[in-house]
Amino acid sequence: MSTEREDNDIAADVEARRQALDTLASLIVQAPAGSGKTGLLTQRFLALLAQVQVPEEILAITFTRKAANEMRARITGALARARDDSPPASDYERTTWDLARSALARSDAKGWELTSNPNRLGVYTIDGFCARLASRTPVLSRAGAQAQVAENARPLYDKAARALLRTLDAEEPATAHLENLVLHLDNNLPRCEGLLSAMLATRDHWLPRLADPENPRLQREALEEALDASVARELERLAGALPENLQQELVTLAHDAAEELSHMHGDGPTRACLGLDALPPASVDGVE
C-alpha cells in the first residue's frame, strides 16, 4: 500500500513531466539513470514536430552515437505506432501515442515522410553536429572537403603543436610563453611538440582550470564584442577589396535591385539595400 508521501512524489513526477512538454518553456531536467529521461525527450521532440515548419528546426544533441541512434529509433517507432488507431493502455504510452499522432499528421500535411526518411530528424552527437555545420559552410569553416570525425586525433594534435611552435619566429601573443617553455626544455623542440600534443589530448582536464567562468574575458558581453570585432575585420577586408571606382555603381545597383524586388516579392533580404546611398558600415550593424 502506497503512503501519502509516495503519492505526493508520484504526483510531483507527473507534473514535472507535464511541464517538460511545454514547448514554449526552456527547462533543465535532472533525474537519475533509468528514470525515463530519453522517453521524455522523445515526447518533447514529438511535441515540437507538431508545431514546426520543417523538422530541421529541431535539434537534439547527445554524447554518443548509440544514444543518438536510440533516440532517433524511438521517434520513428512512435510515429510508426501512431498509424495504429487503437491507443495504448498505459497513460505514459498513451501520451507518447497522442503526441506522435499530432506529429504524424503534421508530417503527412507537409510531406515530410519522416517514417521513411528519418535523416530529417535532427538528432546528433556533438561531434556529428559540428561536422555537419562545417560541411554546410565550407568557406567559413575552411574545411574544404567533407569533414569527418577523427577516431584517432593524435596526428591532428601533433600538427597543431608544430604549427604553434612555428610562431616562435613571429610576434604572436603566445611567443613569449613559448620561448620560456623552449628555454626550460633546453631547446628540445621535439619534446616541446610532444608535451603540447599530449596537453591537447587531455584538454578536458585542464581547460576548466584555465577557463575561469568568472573571468571577465569569458563573459557573454566580452565574447559578443570579440565576435563583433571579427565580423568587422572581415567586412573591412571585403570593403577594401572593392575598387573605389565601382563602389558607387554597386551601391546604385543594389538600391535599384532592392526597390524592384520589393515591388515583386515584398519582404526579403534585399530590402536592407533600400535607400542605400553609400557602402554600409563595416560593422555588425551593416551585415544585412
Side-chain angles (χ1 to χ4, degrees):
M1 182 179 296
S2 63
T3 65
E4 181 178 351
R5 181 176 179 179
E6 290 174 339
D7 290 340
N8 291 337
D9 288 344
I10 293 173
D13 183 79
V14 171
E15 176 59 20
R17 290 175 181 275
R18 186 193 64 78
Q19 292 178 7
L21 297 181
D22 181 0
T23 57
L24 298 180
S26 295
L27 302 158
I28 296 177
V29 177
Q30 294 178 306
S35 58
K37 292 189 297 296
T38 302
L40 184 61
L41 286 172
T42 300
Q43 290 181 341
R44 186 174 173 89
F45 201 106
L46 291 169
L48 288 166
L49 278 176
Q51 302 174 16
V52 295
Q53 295 301 316
V54 291
E56 289 81 3
E57 291 180 25
I58 310 170
L59 174 62
I61 297 290
T62 71
F63 286 100
T64 66
R65 294 177 185 174
K66 179 181 178 182
N69 291 335
E70 179 187 353
M71 188 168 179
R72 190 178 290 110
R74 287 201 186 197
I75 295 169
T76 54
L79 292 172
R81 171 70 175 84
R83 293 287 185 193
D84 188 348
D85 292 331
S86 57
S90 73
D91 292 340
Y92 171 77
E93 292 180 352
R94 175 62 184 263
T95 299
T96 302
W97 183 80
D98 287 336
L99 293 170
R101 295 273 286 186
S102 298
L104 190 62
R106 185 75 165 177
S107 174
D108 291 343
K110 295 287 187 178
W112 296 340
E113 299 182 356
L114 293 180
T115 51
S116 58
N117 191 15
N119 289 332
R120 297 197 66 180
L121 299 172
V123 185
Y124 305 96
T125 61
I126 297 173
D127 289 342
F129 178 63
C130 291
R132 181 171 180 267
L133 284 181
S135 66
R136 296 187 64 170
T137 54
V139 177
L140 182 62
S141 66
R142 301 179 184 178
Q146 177 69 38
Q148 295 180 340
V149 178
E151 296 294 339
N152 176 20
R154 189 57 187 258
L156 300 177
Y157 299 150
D158 293 341
K159 183 178 180 180
R162 286 194 294 272
L164 180 62
L165 288 172
R166 281 197 292 270
T167 65
L168 275 168
D169 297 327
E171 291 296 328
E172 298 288 345
T175 300
H177 301 293
L178 284 174
E179 288 175 350
N180 287 334
L181 174 63
V182 172
L183 182 62
H184 181 71
L185 296 175
D186 296 328
N187 290 323
N188 189 334
L189 293 181
R191 188 180 177 199
C192 287
E193 179 186 319
L195 290 173
L196 290 169
S197 178
M199 282 187 66
L200 288 173
T202 58
R203 63 193 182 279
D204 56 317
H205 297 293
W206 54 265
L207 266 180
R209 299 181 182 277
L210 297 181
D212 181 4
E214 300 301 323
N215 189 328
R217 290 180 300 174
L218 297 179
Q219 292 177 358
R220 181 186 180 97
E221 293 79 7
L223 294 174
E224 289 180 345
E225 287 176 6
L227 178 61
D228 291 350
S230 178
V231 171
R233 282 196 301 271
E234 291 300 313
L235 291 177
E236 288 169 0
R237 193 162 63 89
L238 175 62
L242 294 173
E244 290 188 12
N245 62 320
L246 295 180
Q247 289 183 12
Q248 190 54 50
E249 183 178 354
L250 180 62
V251 168
T252 301
L253 289 172
H255 165 73
D256 292 347
E259 195 172 50
E260 183 67 23
L261 289 171
S262 67
H263 293 318
M264 297 170 58
H265 304 294
D267 290 336
T270 54
R271 287 186 62 86
C273 295
L274 282 174
L276 202 65
D277 57 6
L279 285 179
S283 69
V284 290
D285 297 327
V287 168
E288 277 195 273

